[in-house]
Amino acid sequence: MTEKVAHSSLETLRNTRIQKLNDLVDKGINPYPYTFDRTASAAQLHEKYKDLPNEGEDSEVFSLAGRIMAMRNSGMFIDLVDSSGKIQIFTHKENVDEEKIKLLKLLDVGDIIGVHGNVRRTPRGELSIKVKDLKILSKSLLPLPEKWHGLTDVETRYRQRYLDMIMNEEVRDTFLKRSLIIKEIRDYLSQRGFLEVETPMLQTIAGGATARPFKTYHNTLDMDMFLRIAPELYLKRLMVGGVSEKVFEINRNFRNEGISPKHNPEFTMLELYQAYVDYNEMMALTENLISSVAQKVLGTMIVTYQDREINLTPPWDRMTMIGAVKKFTGVDFGQLLSVPEAAEEGKKLGAEVEEGDTWGVILDKVFEINVEPHLIQPVHIIDYPRDISPLAKPHRDDNKLVERFETRINGWEIANAFSELTDPIDQRRRFEQQVSNKRETDHETPAEVDYDYVTALEYGMPPSGGLGVGIDRLIMILTNAASIRDVIAFPTMRPKINI
RNA sequence: GCGCUAUUAGCUCAGCCGGUAGAGCAAUCCCCUUUUAAGGGAGAGGUCCCGCGUUCGAAUCGCGGAUAGCGCACCA
């Protein structure tokens, strides 16, 4: 192997910092110490001293720590950033001994330091820490992006998210909000008696949705397994078991499909089930849950998403799927029940109807093209075709439909819910039909029937409402994120050498 | 999977009709020292994404490839 000569610019910059690190060690300073006792955050001091006048000074000494984001006047002024915000650090030779002034020479933007000092507001109004002592807490070896333009290259932002977070406060804010949103969902459900549970990620039959799964292999058991595409069939087994009449899970699903601004191969889903209620109760729960989370986290139920105002205040509109199609196209699929008739109208309305499409599939395609783009405000689209909904109970008033709704916000499917199918004989028939109709090119339908699930139903599952909510998309709307990658800390990327 | 676009210094970007690469920030050294993108000066820093081709000559043109973004398809 030839020796690589370190002459790249980055290598030089890194070597310069390693030299500083060695100088620190030579001075007997550990550049990576163990602890630092903080007594304040930047935001706490801004709040406490918000009325301090220019040139005003207080004698109380605080300790705080954070990352150096800028240095001015040879380090006399430092912008220190912690998770609460930014505060200026003022280190003057009048206040500290000479060793500390020399230490400034060995600091760089990006280093993490701890300081002790009192608070003073400068003549120009900048609240500052007048340093009495200063300590390096972590030496940074690589240069941060430029302070003015920051990091904008999207590829680097996603690949090296830590840099994106260091440089972009709004990115930190998005992930803070993500955490708060999920916490509020948990709190909301827990307060209403829902039990949080966990179900298998590794499954032998990837059921509960129509999607292409990731395949993997268990060595000891010598068998293929799949990463789950949905937790549904296991959560409903829990409903049979009856540990709780209300259960929920917030966790990852994996789907081996295309990547887009709205799709990541792994994404977070909330699924919940409640015994003795139907899909009407799920509609009320959906809008109350989402609106109250928005109120708690954002302080409002009216959000702006990409220049559009979205009002999450309940109650939300409801439209039947057939009614919605009729409203936007004038065509009543409730009167077009034969497949040839439906196919003909569907094609006229722009749907790409394929051989073998059922009435429900055609209606769904027509809906997607002609209705979905109009559904900006929250709306529950109710009563789906039976043949595209194998896990939902037949509609009590119309046998070709099921009691299912999808909640649309900004045109996207945010929630999907039904009166759960609990009839084991009907369920067995639908699964078997699905599997026998599976075509060669169909990678989404499971290859075999999940008979264990059918057996569970045969022991009896209480009538239940079930609900799934796409958490990432909900967070996108609540944080005004243009891409799902902006709300997933480490989105799926092709690996790249040489970053 | 297909189409469009992008890729130049650590970062943000210029670079025209092909003539051999520039700025600002960061870094280094010097000066200055209550700054707010601090200021002044000096020097340094490059696999122009990769490969092949055209050409006397390619960052620039052509072909192939890589990665990414967007759109389409699939889906939530």
Side-chain angles (χ1 to χ4, degrees), chain A residues 435-481:
Chain A
V435 169
S436 70
N437 289 347
K438 181 178 164 81
R439 283 176 266 176
E440 285 262 332
T441 54
D442 176 3
H443 301 287
E444 283 90 46
T445 305
E448 52 183 309
V449 173
D450 191 340
Y451 284 112
D452 180 74
Y453 172 68
V454 175
T455 299
L457 287 187
E458 291 197 355
Y459 284 97
M461 171 172 155
S464 300
L467 168 68
V469 177
I471 295 299
D472 308 284
R473 287 184 181 176
L474 177 62
I475 293 168
M476 285 172 72
I477 288 171
L478 296 182
T479 61
N480 194 23

Short mmCIF file of all heavy atoms in Angstrom, two decimals, chain A residues 435-481:
data_model
loop_
_atom_site.label_atom_id
_atom_site.label_comp_id
_atom_site.label_asym_id
_atom_site.label_seq_id
_atom_site.Cartn_x
_atom_site.Cartn_y
_atom_site.Cartn_z
N VAL A 435 -54.56 -14.45 -1.32
CA VAL A 435 -53.38 -15.25 -1.65
C VAL A 435 -53.58 -15.97 -2.98
O VAL A 435 -52.67 -16.04 -3.81
CB VAL A 435 -53.06 -16.24 -0.51
CG1 VAL A 435 -52.00 -17.25 -0.96
CG2 VAL A 435 -52.58 -15.48 0.71
N SER A 436 -54.80 -16.48 -3.22
CA SER A 436 -55.01 -17.20 -4.47
C SER A 436 -55.06 -16.27 -5.67
O SER A 436 -54.75 -16.66 -6.79
CB SER A 436 -56.28 -18.04 -4.39
OG SER A 436 -57.41 -17.19 -4.38
N ASN A 437 -55.41 -15.01 -5.44
CA ASN A 437 -55.44 -14.03 -6.53
C ASN A 437 -54.08 -13.38 -6.79
O ASN A 437 -53.94 -12.60 -7.72
CB ASN A 437 -56.45 -12.91 -6.24
CG ASN A 437 -57.88 -13.41 -6.35
OD1 ASN A 437 -58.13 -14.50 -6.86
ND2 ASN A 437 -58.81 -12.61 -5.87
N LYS A 438 -53.12 -13.68 -5.92
CA LYS A 438 -51.80 -13.03 -6.03
C LYS A 438 -51.18 -13.33 -7.38
O LYS A 438 -51.08 -14.48 -7.80
CB LYS A 438 -50.90 -13.53 -4.91
CG LYS A 438 -49.50 -12.92 -4.90
CD LYS A 438 -48.73 -13.48 -3.70
CE LYS A 438 -47.23 -13.25 -3.82
NZ LYS A 438 -46.81 -11.91 -3.43
N ARG A 439 -50.77 -12.28 -8.07
CA ARG A 439 -50.15 -12.44 -9.39
C ARG A 439 -48.64 -12.47 -9.27
O ARG A 439 -48.07 -12.03 -8.27
CB ARG A 439 -50.59 -11.27 -10.30
CG ARG A 439 -52.00 -11.44 -10.85
CD ARG A 439 -52.42 -10.23 -11.66
NE ARG A 439 -53.15 -9.26 -10.85
CZ ARG A 439 -53.56 -8.08 -11.31
NH1 ARG A 439 -53.30 -7.72 -12.54
NH2 ARG A 439 -54.23 -7.26 -10.53
N GLU A 440 -47.98 -12.97 -10.30
CA GLU A 440 -46.52 -13.08 -10.32
C GLU A 440 -45.83 -11.76 -10.00
O GLU A 440 -44.84 -11.71 -9.28
CB GLU A 440 -46.06 -13.56 -11.71
CG GLU A 440 -46.31 -15.02 -11.99
CD GLU A 440 -45.07 -15.87 -11.73
OE1 GLU A 440 -43.97 -15.32 -11.86
OE2 GLU A 440 -45.22 -17.05 -11.39
N THR A 441 -46.37 -10.70 -10.58
CA THR A 441 -45.74 -9.39 -10.44
C THR A 441 -46.08 -8.70 -9.13
O THR A 441 -45.58 -7.62 -8.84
CB THR A 441 -46.19 -8.46 -11.59
OG1 THR A 441 -47.63 -8.44 -11.60
CG2 THR A 441 -45.69 -8.95 -12.93
N ASP A 442 -46.94 -9.33 -8.35
CA ASP A 442 -47.40 -8.73 -7.11
C ASP A 442 -46.44 -9.07 -5.98
O ASP A 442 -46.35 -10.22 -5.55
CB ASP A 442 -48.81 -9.27 -6.80
CG ASP A 442 -49.35 -8.77 -5.47
OD1 ASP A 442 -48.65 -7.97 -4.82
OD2 ASP A 442 -50.45 -9.17 -5.10
N HIS A 443 -45.67 -8.07 -5.53
CA HIS A 443 -44.73 -8.30 -4.45
C HIS A 443 -45.31 -7.87 -3.11
O HIS A 443 -44.65 -7.98 -2.10
CB HIS A 443 -43.43 -7.52 -4.70
CG HIS A 443 -42.77 -7.89 -5.97
ND1 HIS A 443 -42.10 -9.08 -6.15
CD2 HIS A 443 -42.68 -7.23 -7.15
CE1 HIS A 443 -41.61 -9.13 -7.38
NE2 HIS A 443 -41.95 -8.02 -8.01
N GLU A 444 -46.53 -7.35 -3.16
CA GLU A 444 -47.07 -6.74 -1.94
C GLU A 444 -47.94 -7.69 -1.12
O GLU A 444 -48.00 -7.58 0.09
CB GLU A 444 -47.90 -5.49 -2.30
CG GLU A 444 -47.05 -4.28 -2.63
CD GLU A 444 -46.72 -4.19 -4.10
OE1 GLU A 444 -47.64 -4.37 -4.91
OE2 GLU A 444 -45.55 -3.96 -4.45
N THR A 445 -48.62 -8.60 -1.80
CA THR A 445 -49.50 -9.51 -1.07
C THR A 445 -48.67 -10.63 -0.43
O THR A 445 -47.78 -11.17 -1.08
CB THR A 445 -50.53 -10.12 -2.04
OG1 THR A 445 -51.22 -9.06 -2.68
CG2 THR A 445 -51.53 -10.99 -1.29
N PRO A 446 -48.95 -10.95 0.84
CA PRO A 446 -48.21 -12.05 1.46
C PRO A 446 -48.40 -13.34 0.66
O PRO A 446 -49.45 -13.57 0.05
CB PRO A 446 -48.88 -12.17 2.85
CG PRO A 446 -49.54 -10.86 3.08
CD PRO A 446 -49.92 -10.33 1.74
N ALA A 447 -47.39 -14.21 0.69
CA ALA A 447 -47.45 -15.44 -0.08
C ALA A 447 -48.31 -16.50 0.59
O ALA A 447 -48.74 -17.45 -0.03
CB ALA A 447 -46.04 -15.98 -0.29
N GLU A 448 -48.52 -16.32 1.89
CA GLU A 448 -49.33 -17.33 2.58
C GLU A 448 -50.29 -16.66 3.57
O GLU A 448 -50.08 -15.52 3.99
CB GLU A 448 -48.42 -18.33 3.30
CG GLU A 448 -47.40 -17.69 4.20
CD GLU A 448 -46.47 -18.71 4.84
OE1 GLU A 448 -47.00 -19.68 5.41
OE2 GLU A 448 -45.24 -18.54 4.76
N VAL A 449 -51.30 -17.40 3.91
CA VAL A 449 -52.31 -16.91 4.85
C VAL A 449 -51.78 -17.02 6.27
O VAL A 449 -51.16 -18.02 6.63
CB VAL A 449 -53.61 -17.72 4.70
CG1 VAL A 449 -54.61 -17.31 5.79
CG2 VAL A 449 -54.21 -17.50 3.32
N ASP A 450 -52.00 -16.00 7.07
CA ASP A 450 -51.59 -16.03 8.47
C ASP A 450 -52.68 -16.75 9.28
O ASP A 450 -53.55 -16.14 9.88
CB ASP A 450 -51.40 -14.59 8.98
CG ASP A 450 -50.72 -14.56 10.35
OD1 ASP A 450 -50.73 -15.59 11.05
OD2 ASP A 450 -50.19 -13.49 10.70
N TYR A 451 -52.59 -18.09 9.23
CA TYR A 451 -53.65 -18.88 9.88
C TYR A 451 -53.62 -18.74 11.40
O TYR A 451 -54.64 -18.89 12.06
CB TYR A 451 -53.53 -20.35 9.47
CG TYR A 451 -54.05 -20.59 8.06
CD1 TYR A 451 -53.19 -20.95 7.03
CD2 TYR A 451 -55.40 -20.43 7.76
CE1 TYR A 451 -53.66 -21.15 5.74
CE2 TYR A 451 -55.89 -20.63 6.47
CZ TYR A 451 -55.01 -20.98 5.46
OH TYR A 451 -55.47 -21.17 4.19
N ASP A 452 -52.45 -18.46 11.94
CA ASP A 452 -52.41 -18.28 13.40
C ASP A 452 -53.26 -17.08 13.81
O ASP A 452 -53.94 -17.12 14.85
CB ASP A 452 -50.97 -18.06 13.87
CG ASP A 452 -50.91 -17.87 15.38
OD1 ASP A 452 -51.08 -18.86 16.10
OD2 ASP A 452 -50.73 -16.71 15.83
N TYR A 453 -53.24 -16.05 12.98
CA TYR A 453 -54.08 -14.89 13.27
C TYR A 453 -55.56 -15.26 13.17
O TYR A 453 -56.37 -14.88 14.02
CB TYR A 453 -53.75 -13.74 12.32
CG TYR A 453 -54.72 -12.59 12.43
CD1 TYR A 453 -54.76 -11.81 13.59
CD2 TYR A 453 -55.61 -12.28 11.39
CE1 TYR A 453 -55.67 -10.76 13.71
CE2 TYR A 453 -56.51 -11.24 11.50
CZ TYR A 453 -56.54 -10.48 12.67
OH TYR A 453 -57.43 -9.46 12.78
N VAL A 454 -55.90 -16.03 12.14
CA VAL A 454 -57.30 -16.46 11.99
C VAL A 454 -57.72 -17.31 13.20
O VAL A 454 -58.82 -17.13 13.75
CB VAL A 454 -57.48 -17.26 10.68
CG1 VAL A 454 -58.90 -17.80 10.59
CG2 VAL A 454 -57.16 -16.38 9.48
N THR A 455 -56.80 -18.16 13.65
CA THR A 455 -57.10 -18.98 14.84
C THR A 455 -57.37 -18.09 16.05
O THR A 455 -58.33 -18.33 16.81
CB THR A 455 -55.91 -19.92 15.13
OG1 THR A 455 -55.74 -20.78 14.01
CG2 THR A 455 -56.16 -20.76 16.38
N ALA A 456 -56.55 -17.06 16.20
CA ALA A 456 -56.78 -16.13 17.32
C ALA A 456 -58.18 -15.55 17.24
O ALA A 456 -58.90 -15.50 18.25
CB ALA A 456 -55.73 -15.01 17.29
N LEU A 457 -58.58 -15.15 16.03
CA LEU A 457 -59.93 -14.58 15.88
C LEU A 457 -61.00 -15.62 16.23
O LEU A 457 -62.07 -15.29 16.73
CB LEU A 457 -60.15 -14.10 14.45
CG LEU A 457 -59.44 -12.83 14.00
CD1 LEU A 457 -59.93 -12.41 12.61
CD2 LEU A 457 -59.64 -11.67 14.98
N GLU A 458 -60.71 -16.89 15.96
CA GLU A 458 -61.70 -17.93 16.23
C GLU A 458 -61.97 -18.08 17.73
O GLU A 458 -63.03 -18.55 18.13
CB GLU A 458 -61.27 -19.26 15.60
CG GLU A 458 -61.33 -19.19 14.08
CD GLU A 458 -61.32 -20.55 13.39
OE1 GLU A 458 -61.16 -21.57 14.09
OE2 GLU A 458 -61.49 -20.56 12.16
N TYR A 459 -61.00 -17.66 18.56
CA TYR A 459 -61.27 -17.67 20.00
C TYR A 459 -62.14 -16.49 20.41
O TYR A 459 -62.68 -16.47 21.51
CB TYR A 459 -59.95 -17.65 20.78
CG TYR A 459 -59.27 -19.00 20.79
CD1 TYR A 459 -58.26 -19.30 19.89
CD2 TYR A 459 -59.68 -19.99 21.69
CE1 TYR A 459 -57.66 -20.54 19.88
CE2 TYR A 459 -59.08 -21.24 21.69
CZ TYR A 459 -58.07 -21.51 20.78
OH TYR A 459 -57.49 -22.75 20.77
N GLY A 460 -62.24 -15.51 19.50
CA GLY A 460 -63.15 -14.39 19.77
C GLY A 460 -62.43 -13.11 20.11
O GLY A 460 -61.73 -13.03 21.10
N MET A 461 -62.59 -12.10 19.25
CA MET A 461 -62.03 -10.78 19.51
C MET A 461 -63.20 -9.82 19.71
O MET A 461 -64.18 -9.89 18.96
CB MET A 461 -61.17 -10.34 18.31
CG MET A 461 -60.72 -8.88 18.37
SD MET A 461 -59.54 -8.46 17.06
CE MET A 461 -59.81 -6.68 16.94
N PRO A 462 -63.13 -8.97 20.72
CA PRO A 462 -64.24 -8.04 20.92
C PRO A 462 -64.40 -7.11 19.72
O PRO A 462 -63.40 -6.82 19.05
CB PRO A 462 -63.84 -7.25 22.17
CG PRO A 462 -62.36 -7.38 22.24
CD PRO A 462 -62.03 -8.72 21.66
N PRO A 463 -65.63 -6.67 19.46
CA PRO A 463 -65.77 -5.66 18.41
C PRO A 463 -64.86 -4.48 18.76
O PRO A 463 -64.82 -4.06 19.91
CB PRO A 463 -67.24 -5.24 18.48
CG PRO A 463 -67.73 -5.72 19.81
CD PRO A 463 -66.89 -6.91 20.18
N SER A 464 -64.12 -3.99 17.76
CA SER A 464 -63.09 -2.99 18.06
C SER A 464 -62.95 -1.99 16.93
O SER A 464 -63.16 -2.31 15.77
CB SER A 464 -61.72 -3.66 18.27
OG SER A 464 -61.74 -4.58 19.33
N GLY A 465 -62.55 -0.80 17.33
CA GLY A 465 -62.09 0.17 16.35
C GLY A 465 -60.57 0.16 16.34
O GLY A 465 -59.95 -0.01 17.38
N GLY A 466 -59.98 0.29 15.15
CA GLY A 466 -58.53 0.33 15.03
C GLY A 466 -58.12 1.54 14.22
O GLY A 466 -58.85 1.99 13.34
N LEU A 467 -56.95 2.08 14.54
CA LEU A 467 -56.50 3.32 13.90
C LEU A 467 -54.99 3.28 13.69
O LEU A 467 -54.26 2.87 14.59
CB LEU A 467 -56.85 4.51 14.80
CG LEU A 467 -56.23 5.87 14.47
CD1 LEU A 467 -56.77 6.42 13.16
CD2 LEU A 467 -56.47 6.86 15.60
N GLY A 468 -54.55 3.69 12.52
CA GLY A 468 -53.13 3.86 12.26
C GLY A 468 -52.85 5.30 11.87
O GLY A 468 -53.61 5.88 11.08
N VAL A 469 -51.80 5.88 12.41
CA VAL A 469 -51.45 7.26 12.08
C VAL A 469 -49.99 7.30 11.65
O VAL A 469 -49.11 6.83 12.38
CB VAL A 469 -51.66 8.21 13.28
CG1 VAL A 469 -51.21 9.63 12.92
CG2 VAL A 469 -53.11 8.22 13.72
N GLY A 470 -49.73 7.87 10.48
CA GLY A 470 -48.36 8.04 10.00
C GLY A 470 -47.71 9.20 10.74
O GLY A 470 -48.01 10.36 10.48
N ILE A 471 -46.83 8.85 11.67
CA ILE A 471 -46.29 9.86 12.59
C ILE A 471 -45.36 10.83 11.86
O ILE A 471 -45.39 12.04 12.10
CB ILE A 471 -45.54 9.17 13.75
CG1 ILE A 471 -46.54 8.37 14.60
CG2 ILE A 471 -44.80 10.18 14.61
CD1 ILE A 471 -47.63 9.18 15.23
N ASP A 472 -44.56 10.32 10.95
CA ASP A 472 -43.61 11.22 10.26
C ASP A 472 -44.34 12.28 9.45
O ASP A 472 -43.97 13.45 9.45
CB ASP A 472 -42.70 10.40 9.35
CG ASP A 472 -42.04 9.25 10.10
OD1 ASP A 472 -41.10 9.52 10.85
OD2 ASP A 472 -42.51 8.11 9.95
N ARG A 473 -45.37 11.87 8.75
CA ARG A 473 -46.13 12.84 7.95
C ARG A 473 -46.86 13.83 8.83
O ARG A 473 -46.97 15.02 8.49
CB ARG A 473 -47.13 12.10 7.06
CG ARG A 473 -46.43 11.41 5.92
CD ARG A 473 -47.44 10.79 5.01
NE ARG A 473 -46.75 10.10 3.92
CZ ARG A 473 -47.38 9.39 3.00
NH1 ARG A 473 -48.70 9.29 3.04
NH2 ARG A 473 -46.72 8.80 2.04
N LEU A 474 -47.37 13.35 9.95
CA LEU A 474 -48.01 14.27 10.88
C LEU A 474 -47.00 15.31 11.37
O LEU A 474 -47.29 16.51 11.42
CB LEU A 474 -48.59 13.48 12.06
CG LEU A 474 -49.23 14.32 13.17
CD1 LEU A 474 -50.42 15.11 12.64
CD2 LEU A 474 -49.65 13.43 14.34
N ILE A 475 -45.80 14.83 11.68
CA ILE A 475 -44.75 15.75 12.14
C ILE A 475 -44.37 16.72 11.03
O ILE A 475 -44.13 17.91 11.28
CB ILE A 475 -43.53 14.96 12.66
CG1 ILE A 475 -43.91 14.19 13.92
CG2 ILE A 475 -42.35 15.89 12.94
CD1 ILE A 475 -42.90 13.17 14.36
N MET A 476 -44.34 16.25 9.79
CA MET A 476 -44.05 17.15 8.66
C MET A 476 -45.03 18.32 8.66
O MET A 476 -44.64 19.48 8.50
CB MET A 476 -44.19 16.41 7.33
CG MET A 476 -43.04 15.47 7.01
SD MET A 476 -43.38 14.47 5.55
CE MET A 476 -43.24 15.70 4.24
N ILE A 477 -46.31 18.00 8.82
CA ILE A 477 -47.32 19.06 8.78
C ILE A 477 -47.18 19.99 9.98
O ILE A 477 -47.28 21.21 9.85
CB ILE A 477 -48.72 18.44 8.69
CG1 ILE A 477 -48.91 17.85 7.28
CG2 ILE A 477 -49.81 19.46 9.02
CD1 ILE A 477 -50.14 17.02 7.10
N LEU A 478 -46.89 19.41 11.14
CA LEU A 478 -46.81 20.25 12.35
C LEU A 478 -45.51 21.05 12.40
O LEU A 478 -45.41 22.02 13.16
CB LEU A 478 -46.95 19.37 13.60
CG LEU A 478 -48.30 18.67 13.77
CD1 LEU A 478 -48.34 17.88 15.07
CD2 LEU A 478 -49.47 19.66 13.72
N THR A 479 -44.49 20.65 11.65
CA THR A 479 -43.23 21.40 11.67
C THR A 479 -42.92 22.07 10.35
O THR A 479 -41.83 22.59 10.16
CB THR A 479 -42.04 20.46 12.03
OG1 THR A 479 -41.94 19.44 11.03
CG2 THR A 479 -42.22 19.82 13.39
N ASN A 480 -43.88 22.02 9.42
CA ASN A 480 -43.71 22.65 8.11
C ASN A 480 -42.48 22.12 7.38
O ASN A 480 -41.71 22.87 6.79
CB ASN A 480 -43.61 24.18 8.26
CG ASN A 480 -43.78 24.89 6.94
OD1 ASN A 480 -44.37 24.36 5.99
ND2 ASN A 480 -43.23 26.09 6.84
N ALA A 481 -42.29 20.80 7.43
CA ALA A 481 -41.15 20.17 6.78
C ALA A 481 -41.54 19.74 5.36
O ALA A 481 -42.55 19.09 5.16
CB ALA A 481 -40.68 18.95 7.57
#
